[in-house]
Amino acid sequence: MSEKPELVPGETRKLEVLTAIPKNEGVDSAVAATRRVISALLHAGDRTSAEMGAVAAQLNAIADHLDEHNGPVDDRLVDMWSGEGVTRHDPITGAENAIAPPLHLAGREDGSIGGVVTLGLPYQGPPGHVHGGVSAMLLDHVLGVSNAWAGTSGMTARLTLNYHRPTPLFQELEITGRQMKVEGRKIWTEGVISVDGEPCVSAEGLFINKQVPRPR
């Protein structure tokens, strides 16, 4: 493991809230309902006794209603980054994103961050287990938030993953991350997905802080 970074005198962590708390009304409640629909459709498959033609008609009617009342995409792209920003729309923790599990993250006094999440069929790869690409997406996001919590952020330049054992569906996963070292523009960060204390996937990331000038 790399050495833990030392805070520069006067430096403070930039984020106090790492993920948004879902609301029980408006967009958040509609998104939560959509997550139920996605999961139910996957459970149904092509052997269900449900009348899927009627289901499709109802879902298309909902989509038509939303499209009729939606504004321009360019306006939405700007709006998504206002206020709480990425915490409400990103595909890992976003309360406004139906493909997010969602994972809720919290900062810890030791400088790390972490959270727990249980993944179902929408995230399956091998039977009964999480898709490896989903694990990579989870860890990339957690490492990025770890950097924000530590106070020095950057863009992912390299992400190295080690798959220790299959990551199970329908079991509580603990996901942790910690910024390890900062040298100029380069930031090194590590994280792990584990079950019952045993690692399933670990990651080492190199991030580049573009706010710091390139050395000449």
Side-chain angles (χ1 to χ4, degrees), residues 65-77 79:
H65 176 73
L66 291 171
D67 287 341
E68 181 181 349
H69 293 86
N70 286 344
V73 172
D74 288 347
D75 290 349
R76 179 60 178 148
L77 291 174
D79 177 62

Side-chain angles (χ1 to χ4, degrees), residues 28-44:
D28 291 6
S29 61
V31 166
T34 302
R35 290 193 187 105
R36 287 191 62 199
V37 170
I38 292 171
S39 179
L41 284 170
L42 280 167
H43 277 268

Side-chain angles (χ1 to χ4, degrees), residues 57-142:
Q58 293 178 63
L59 293 177
N60 279 316
I62 293 171
D64 290 342
H65 176 73
L66 291 171
D67 287 341
E68 181 181 349
H69 293 86
N70 286 344
V73 172
D74 288 347
D75 290 349
R76 179 60 178 148
L77 291 174
V78 173
D79 177 62
M80 290 169 77
W81 284 94
S82 63
E84 291 177 284
V86 69
T87 59
R88 297 206 63 79
H89 75 259
D90 74 77
I92 303 300
T93 66
E96 294 182 357
N97 194 329
I99 70 170
L103 169 67
H104 182 78
L105 296 169
R108 300 170 175 173
E109 288 300 321
D110 65 359
S112 68
I113 70 167
V116 295
V117 68
T118 300
L119 301 179
L121 287 181
Y123 308 98
Q124 180 173 250
H129 296 91
V130 178
H131 193 291
V134 171
S135 297
M137 183 169 66
L138 287 165
L139 283 165
D140 181 51
H141 183 81
V142 170

